[in-house]
Amino acid sequence: MGEIEQMKKEAEALKTQIEAARKAVHDTDMASAASGVAPAPRVQLKTRRTLKGHLAKIYAMHWSTDNRLMVSASQDGKLLIWDSHSGNKVNAVPLKSSWVMTCAYAPSGNLVASGGLDNMCTVYNLKTPVIKTVKELDAHTGYLSCARFLSDTEVLTASGDTTCALWDLETGKQKTVFLNHVGDCMCLSLSPDMNSFVSGACDSLAKLWDIRDGQCKQTFLGHTSDINAISFYPGGNAIITGSDDCTCKMYDLRADQEVISYQDAALNSGVTSLALSMSGRLIFAGYDDFNCNIWDSLKGEKVGVLSGHDNRVSCTGVPPDGMCVCTGSWDSFLKIWN
Amino acid sequence: MSSNSNLTSMKRTVEQLKLEASVDRIKVSQAAADLQQYCLQNASKDALLVGVPAGSNPFREPRSCALL
């Protein structure tokens, strides 16, 4: 028993040390540092497309790297592939389990993936004459909340079993399991250089992981409830998180701390999803109150709102070329704005 | 819960905290300056920030000009 008490003391001392080290470099905050930056223009975007086709709540969407196609997932039990320019459906993938929570497009455009309460990540080949299931990645002991392709042979998943995992698509097995969260993992985002990723969980923490050695390198505190959405800032030195505590936050990886919080006393709905504009200046955050608020990432001010959905905005996404933003909702529609 | 697994778990927690404590940190002012620079350098290419001319917007039908 004595040894455990000693370890507990050591852990507390280390936490205090980390807090002090963070304070020591906290010579300003983002908003103060950006006082000299010209404010972002008032952002007024129009709905250019309303994509109708799903018959139930939409839970996830993901853009293809071609900036044109996108995949969406709904609890009507389907993945739909859309041509965003024409607004037409290109493909429909029927799901074995309709309790889907995530979908992803492979960078190559050849594969898509889905997963949810079935605890599995299922990968489909879009290029065979008839869409085929390529693999069922089955090892998580909790729901699949997020999946992302690194390539046609590797997939990263986040799960309600509190772990994230890197899978080999050829063998269908987990290559690396990322263990450290103590709450359901809800979201993940790959770094631009693909060497690391960040995860957000119900333990209100965001963590940075090295993909190859499996280690958690940094842990970010500040949120007071589940982190539902997370994204790397375009340059790769910062991350943005969205939480049930109704705030979004930016954490700088090199300063190892929260540098700005995006919040408003009038906002008391949880953040469900977020996406960044191409330069990182604008944050599009979807909320439970049916809106998507637009934040100036440098100054912390709200600069616009996307209103038009009749239910919770569950997913948002900006394509790689930054030409538009897509919002998906429990009202069963996707909207494209610019 | 065996006291052995508690000890192992605490040891892991301490090792993880040691790793996280050893990170090199830069000043927030430096981090902020770098982030601002990135944003401003890429601002002109950010369609959602600066707008898209109607003619080159793939999501808008180009308006035809009527000569009256």
Side-chain angles (χ1 to χ4, degrees):
Chain A
M1 270 306 134
E3 218 183 329
I4 290 197
E5 280 314 305
Q6 213 176 339
M7 299 255 114
K8 278 189 187 167
K9 279 205 177 127
E10 209 180 335
E12 286 314 305
L14 283 162
K15 284 183 190 169
T16 307
Q17 189 189 320
I18 292 174
E19 211 185 305
R22 285 172 172 162
K23 247 196 181 142
V25 295
H26 193 89
D27 56 347
T28 185
D29 64 75
M30 199 65 176
S32 313
S35 55
V37 175
R42 184 97 202 137
V43 181
Q44 282 168 317
L45 305 180
K46 295 204 168 83
T47 304
R48 302 295 179 192
R49 299 276 183 278
T50 298
L51 305 178
K52 305 181 189 198
H54 279 301
L55 304 171
K57 295 174 175 173
I58 291 172
Y59 275 80
M61 62 81 46
H62 194 216
W63 282 95
S64 164
T65 51
D66 74 358
N67 299 302
R68 184 176 179 135
L69 298 176
M70 29 174 272
V71 60
S72 61
S74 162
Q75 293 203 343
D76 63 5
K78 287 214 170 42
L79 290 185
L80 290 178
I81 314 287
W82 307 85
D83 174 338
S84 62
H85 289 185
S86 64
N88 293 332
K89 294 176 243 338
V90 169
N91 269 317
V93 185
L95 304 174
K96 256 195 205 166
S97 162
S98 62
W99 303 112
V100 65
M101 295 174 68
T102 184
C103 60
Y105 225 121
S108 65
N110 295 329
L111 310 170
V112 287
S114 68
L117 295 182
D118 59 356
N119 298 1
M120 291 196 311
C121 179
T122 308
V123 178
Y124 310 86
N125 188 336
L126 295 177
K127 303 295 182 163
T128 43
V130 176
I131 296 177
K132 275 190 347 192
T133 300
V134 163
K135 270 286 181 297
E136 283 177 342
L137 307 175
D138 190 3
H140 279 302
T141 54
Y143 58 83
L144 204 83
S145 53
C146 193
R148 285 292 177 258
F149 286 88
L150 275 80
S151 65
D152 279 5
T153 54
E154 286 183 311
V155 170
L156 260 179
T157 55
S159 169
D161 67 10
T162 78
T163 73
C164 295
L166 176 69
W167 303 76
D168 179 333
L169 283 183
E170 280 157 355
T171 61
K173 300 267 179 274
Q174 291 180 331
K175 288 209 283 205
T176 313
V177 182
F178 303 89
L179 298 163
N180 207 254
H181 277 297
V182 295
D184 302 11
C185 293
M186 297 302 292
C187 50
L188 69 89
S189 176
L190 259 177
S191 67
D193 69 8
M194 309 256 273
N195 290 328
S196 48
F197 74 97
V198 285
S199 59
C202 291
D203 56 13
S204 68
L205 303 173
K207 286 180 182 285
L208 173 73
W209 307 85
D210 181 312
I211 290 186
R212 299 305 155 195
D213 72 20
Q215 292 233 293
C216 168
K217 299 298 189 193
Q218 287 171 255
T219 297
F220 302 97
L221 292 74
H223 279 298
T224 53
S225 188
D226 305 358
I227 294 177
N228 298 317
I230 198 164
S231 178
F232 258 94
Y233 209 76
N237 286 331
I239 61 172
I240 311 281
T241 52
S243 165
D244 272 349
D245 68 11
C246 313
T247 75
C248 292
K249 288 178 189 296
M250 179 194 286
Y251 295 94
D252 187 281
L253 301 184
R254 296 178 306 158
D256 187 42
Q257 60 190 275
E258 177 184 330
V259 292
I260 194 170
S261 188
Y262 308 96
Q263 59 192 79
D264 187 316
L267 278 175
N268 50 18
S269 307
V271 180
T272 60
S273 51
L274 64 90
L276 297 174
S277 74
M278 215 209 122
S279 67
R281 187 68 193 265
L282 300 175
I283 301 170
F284 296 88
Y287 290 73
D288 285 343
D289 69 359
F290 309 177
N291 287 327
C292 180
N293 288 313
I294 310 174
W295 298 90
D296 177 337
S297 67
L298 297 181
K299 288 179 166 291
E301 297 159 352
K302 207 171 94 163
V303 295
V305 65
L306 302 176
S307 302
H309 284 293
D310 296 324
N311 206 322
R312 176 187 289 199
V313 173
S314 54
C315 49
T316 43
V318 171
D321 67 0
M323 268 299 190
C324 65
V325 55
C326 177
T327 52
S329 167
W330 279 11
D331 68 7
S332 81
F333 302 124
L334 296 144
K335 285 180 185 286
I336 309 237
W337 315 72
N338 71 8
Chain B
M1 264 203 286
S2 78
S3 60
N4 249 346
S5 71
N6 273 352
L7 187 59
T8 317
S9 161
M10 270 316 294
K11 276 189 180 160
R12 256 192 265 130
T13 302
V14 169
E15 285 316 304
Q16 179 61 36
L17 284 168
K18 279 186 185 163
L19 181 75
E20 293 182 21
S22 69
V23 157
D24 284 321
R25 296 171 184 83
I26 67 168
K27 288 210 191 308
V28 174
S29 53
Q30 177 66 59
D34 290 351
L35 281 169
Q36 279 169 34
Q37 191 184 41
Y38 187 93
C39 269
L40 298 174
Q41 267 174 357
N42 289 285
S44 59
K45 294 183 265 170
D46 189 336
L48 292 168
L49 189 63
V50 301
V52 190
S56 51
N57 187 345
F59 299 102
R60 271 189 91 167
E61 278 60 75
R63 294 237 182 91
S64 49
C65 297
L67 288 172
L68 298 170

